[in-house]
Amino acid sequence: TALEGQDPQQQQQYQPPELSMAAGEFLSIYSHPKEHGQWDAVASCFFLDTAPCIIDYIKAIYDMLKPNGILINFGPLLYHWSSPPIRPEDNSLEEYKNRHSNLDERYLTSVDMSWDDIREVLLRVGFVIEEERVGIPARYTADRTSMMTTEYHCVYCVARKK
């Protein structure tokens, strides 16, 4: 381990880093003011696109971070809250909403953003992009012995809070 070879006094002073992982709705937990400025880093994997509004997640992460804190993100832009398409027979937005009244309202108000749009949001919120790569292939729940796999083209970025 990392503590092997250290004298006992140094071992007693070691404090493992704090880690938080919670089941539940991200914003209800981490947008609370008690979380503001408390985190050195946020790492997300296959996560940002799960937001009903990705801008709200980015703002919450920015608020969570200490000055110079970093966001490390990897994942696709699949958008789990995408609404059903509007059809020609939907003569108005009200008809469309009535036809899908069984859905959570967030499905009908979600906006699917491109990486270029998300990058712009990150910058406007106050992040500086330090690294980014687009189109990284990644399998998700894949079985190498299966005849079928799902592969996503992902975005990797490191952004620092100004």
Side-chain angles (χ1 to χ4, degrees):
T1 68
L3 299 179
E4 288 177 12
Q6 291 182 353
D7 68 48
Q9 186 177 13
Q10 285 179 316
Q11 289 181 14
Q12 288 175 346
Q13 293 173 357
Y14 173 75
Q15 293 293 321
E18 189 172 330
L19 171 72
S20 175
M21 192 168 80
E25 210 283 312
F26 177 74
L27 291 177
S28 68
I29 298 167
Y30 293 106
S31 67
H32 194 278
K34 72 177 185 170
E35 298 294 337
H36 291 187
Q38 298 300 308
W39 299 95
D40 294 308
V42 172
S44 65
C45 185
F46 280 70
F47 173 70
L48 288 181
D49 65 332
T50 67
C53 177
I54 197 167
I55 296 169
D56 291 340
Y57 275 26
I58 291 169
K59 287 161 108 178
I61 292 168
Y62 184 85
D63 289 341
M64 290 169 62
L65 291 170
K66 294 176 182 176
N68 291 313
I70 60 171
L71 164 63
I72 303 166
N73 177 69
F74 179 80
L77 298 175
L78 184 59
Y79 295 108
H80 302 257
W81 288 94
S82 292
S83 62
I86 293 179
R87 296 183 180 165
E89 63 267 19
D90 293 320
N91 294 316
S92 70
L93 184 56
E94 286 308 311
E95 282 186 28
Y96 172 78
K97 286 183 175 183
N98 287 336
R99 188 163 56 85
H100 296 291
S101 61
N102 60 315
L103 294 176
D104 184 309
E105 179 70 21
R106 293 174 289 183
Y107 279 105
L108 305 177
T109 58
S110 175
V111 176
D112 300 353
M113 300 174 76
S114 70
W115 169 246
D116 289 337
D117 293 334
I118 295 167
R119 187 181 198 290
E120 186 64 26
V121 169
L122 287 164
L123 295 172
R124 288 183 184 225
V125 166
F127 283 102
V128 174
I129 308 290
E130 295 196 347
E131 289 183 56
E132 73 178 287
R133 289 191 306 226
V134 179
I136 301 169
R139 294 185 179 149
Y140 188 75
T141 64
D143 177 355
R144 291 179 192 258
T145 63
S146 173
M147 295 178 83
M148 183 185 140
T149 62
T150 301
E151 184 174 274
Y152 295 100
H153 297 269
C154 297
V155 174
Y156 163 78
C157 80
V158 176
R160 183 172 302 279
K161 179 177 181 174
K162 287 190 221 176

